[in-house]
């Protein structure tokens, strides 16, 4: 079988918005990834939100986050519920650095607890970073991916806390409480 | 069916100190290797009706008149690591205008904005993995790193593939640009052969006489591992 080497990654740079959120950046095109689950898709409506902190604890205000998750039955498109896209894209708020997705709560995927894959690009990030968001009100104890993490204390870096308005996750790029990032 | 692991030698490391912003934004602990499961092996599906008619034409998708600059056709194929075309996948591009200025609130460069250029395009690849954009060749621009760093002319690319683990953002440079060798971002890739894979080559065969010069840039996404069960 032919083996071609992968095209190298490069940073998305500081102006990622004009290409990937062109509606908000007003560069002439409409935004993609604004509706992960259309109205009427079965499931519990939730908001997930958070910030991304650099090594000094400062929120990134120029990052872009994509979310990919299963429907309430744990299925991915094209086998998922009608109107369920599974994919969303959000720019961090230019002031607060907060990212937000409105969606439905995913179901368990096989033996994996409900989770949302997150992918982060930004100026200063040379390869897009893959991580996950789990839910604190689910039973995550036998999730095989969380259990791959050698130090139990680090598993917490992937578990979103339930608040009145959202499940919240702080992603730490480096330093104390550094988030677990994956090489899938 | 599983994917071959990413070859770290093909990519810039997270921490590339000559690119100063990477210092505080790079994870310091090793990435956790994960056998791709359903979440990583699937990915978003895009349809033609997700896009607008003019989305791939940066010469006309923003303003009324033609933008200023060298008219180019940037085109190529999206392949997987097994050499197979990746059809119907989303390719997105963004770039500075011919003056090296981005249409972005935080770009303060003195280079002029062009009222007829937005700098954003996208398309789905064809059955054979091909994509093409009409645009202008972007200008080089200065950036705050050392006091005198200039980005080589480049177009930012975002590509999906069929699996979320294939997700790729990169930049395409142009053949013959002396700034590539001086760029801390391009050179954060240690392997010169890999840097060369980001250089679009002049393609006289696709050049449109009296209209546009063509450049070719092929993109390779991660491929699957051969197994005994695959022929
Ligand atoms: Fe750029």
């Amino acid at each position: 079988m032919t083996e071609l080497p992968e095209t190298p990654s490069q940073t998305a740079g500081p102006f990622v918005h004009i290409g990937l959120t062109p509606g908000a950046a007003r560069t002439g095109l409409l935004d993609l990834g604004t509706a992960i689950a259309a109205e009427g898709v079965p499931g519990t409506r939730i908001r997930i939100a958070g910030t991304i902190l650099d090594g000094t604890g400062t929120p990134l205000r120029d990052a872009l986050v994509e979310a990919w998750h299963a429907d309430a039955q744990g299925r991915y498109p094209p086998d998922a519920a009608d109107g369920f896209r599974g994919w969303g894209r959000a720019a961090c708020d230019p002031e607060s650095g907060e990212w937000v997705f409105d969606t439905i709560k995913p179901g368990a995927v096989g033996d994996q607890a409900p989770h949302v894959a997150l992918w982060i690009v930004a100026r200063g990030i040379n390869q897009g970073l893959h991580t996950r968001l789990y839910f604190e009100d689910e039973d995550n104890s036998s999730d095989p991916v969380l259990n791959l993490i050698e130090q139990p204390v680090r598993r917490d870096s992937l578990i979103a806390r339930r608040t009145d308005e959202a499940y919240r996750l702080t992603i730490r790029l480096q330093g104390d409480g550094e988030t677990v990032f994956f090489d899938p | 069916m599983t994917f071959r692991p990413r070859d770290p030698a093909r990519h810039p490391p997270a921490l590339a100190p000559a690119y100063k912003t990477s210092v505080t934004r790079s994870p310091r602990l090793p990435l956790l290797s994960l056998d791709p499961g359903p979440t990583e092996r699937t990915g978003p599906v895009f349809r033609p009706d997700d896009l607008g008619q003019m989305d791939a034409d940066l010469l006309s998708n923003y303003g009324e008149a033609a933008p200023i600059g060298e008219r180019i056709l940037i085109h190529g194929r999206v392949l997987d690591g097994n050499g197979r075309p990746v059809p119907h996948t989303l390719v997105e591009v963004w770039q500075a205008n011919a003056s090296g200025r981005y249409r972005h609130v935080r770009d303060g460069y003195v280079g002029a904005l062009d009222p007829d250029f937005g700098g954003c395009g996208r398309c789905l690849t064809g059955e054979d993995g091909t994509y093409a954009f009409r645009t202008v060749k972007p200008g080089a621009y200065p950036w705050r790193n050392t006091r005198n760093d200039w980005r080589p002319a480049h177009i930012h690319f975002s590509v999906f593939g069929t699996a979320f683990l294939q997700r790729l953002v990169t930049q395409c440079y142009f053949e013959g640009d002396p700034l590539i060798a001086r760029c801390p971002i391009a050179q954060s890739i240690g392997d010169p052969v890999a840097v060369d894979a980001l250089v679009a080559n002049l393609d006289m065969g696709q050049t449109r006489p009296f209209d546009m010069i063509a450049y070719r840039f092929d993109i390779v996404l991660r491929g699957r591992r051969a197994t005994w069960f695959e022929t």
Side-chain angles (χ1 to χ4, degrees), chain B residues 37-200:
Chain B
T39 306
E40 293 76 30
R41 292 198 307 251
T42 56
V45 178
F46 298 95
R47 305 180 295 247
D49 65 5
D50 289 327
L51 311 187
Q53 291 284 318
M54 305 309 285
D55 283 6
D57 186 3
L58 289 78
L59 293 179
S60 66
N61 73 11
Y62 188 79
E64 298 289 309
I68 302 292
E70 185 180 336
R71 295 162 65 85
I72 65 168
L73 178 76
I74 179 88
H75 77 107
R77 286 211 298 167
V78 179
L79 304 170
D80 70 17
N82 305 106
R84 290 182 290 232
V86 184
H88 317 302
T89 197
L90 181 65
V91 180
E92 300 168 286
V93 294
W94 67 101
Q95 64 168 92
N97 68 21
S99 300
R101 175 81 182 266
Y102 284 95
R103 182 167 292 284
H104 190 283
V105 286
R106 292 175 74 178
D107 187 358
Y109 179 40
V110 67
L113 270 174
D114 182 337
D116 295 307
F117 193 70
C120 172
R122 63 192 174 205
C123 68
L124 298 179
T125 56
E127 202 62 50
D128 53 358
T130 53
Y131 75 87
F133 296 99
R134 298 200 325 155
T135 186
V136 295
K137 192 172 177 187
Y141 61 82
W143 59 297
R144 291 187 186 281
N145 188 55
T146 72
R147 289 192 60 200
N148 194 18
D149 272 315
W150 292 78
R151 293 303 322 281
H154 62 277
I155 299 177
H156 296 265
F157 274 74
S158 155
V159 192
F160 280 79
T162 57
F164 205 52
L165 62 71
Q166 291 178 305
R167 195 78 183 81
L168 180 72
V169 161
T170 190
Q171 302 181 28
C172 143
Y173 305 103
F174 292 88
E175 182 180 352
D177 189 336
L179 292 171
I180 298 169
R182 297 172 175 272
C183 175
I185 290 175
Q187 299 303 324
S188 64
I189 305 165
D191 175 3
V193 174
V195 175
D196 212 43
L198 296 182
V199 177

Side-chain angles (χ1 to χ4, degrees), chain A residues 1 4 6-8 10-11 30 55 62 66 76 85 89 115 123-124 126 132 174 178 181 183-184, chain B residues 6 10-11 13 19 23-27 29 32 39-40 50 81-82 92 122 167 170-171 173 220 222:
Chain A
M1 189 184 291
L4 297 178
E6 189 186 5
T7 297
Q10 293 271 264
T11 178
L30 301 175
D62 54 7
E66 290 183 359
Y76 284 98
R85 299 298 292 264
R89 176 183 270 171
H115 62 276
R123 176 174 66 100
N126 287 328
R132 283 186 173 198
Q174 66 178 228
E178 183 173 312
F181 296 102
D183 179 16
Chain B
R6 184 165 251 190
R10 278 293 280 183
H11 296 278
Y19 175 22
V23 175
T24 56
R25 293 184 169 197
S26 43
L29 297 172
L32 182 64
T39 306
E40 293 76 30
D50 289 327
N82 305 106
E92 300 168 286
R122 63 192 174 205
R167 195 78 183 81
T170 190
Q171 302 181 28
Y173 305 103
V220 181
R222 283 176 57 186

Side-chain angles (χ1 to χ4, degrees), chain A residues 7-23:
Chain A
T7 297
S9 172
Q10 293 271 264
T11 178
F15 307 129
V16 58
H17 315 92
I18 77 166
L20 301 191
T21 56

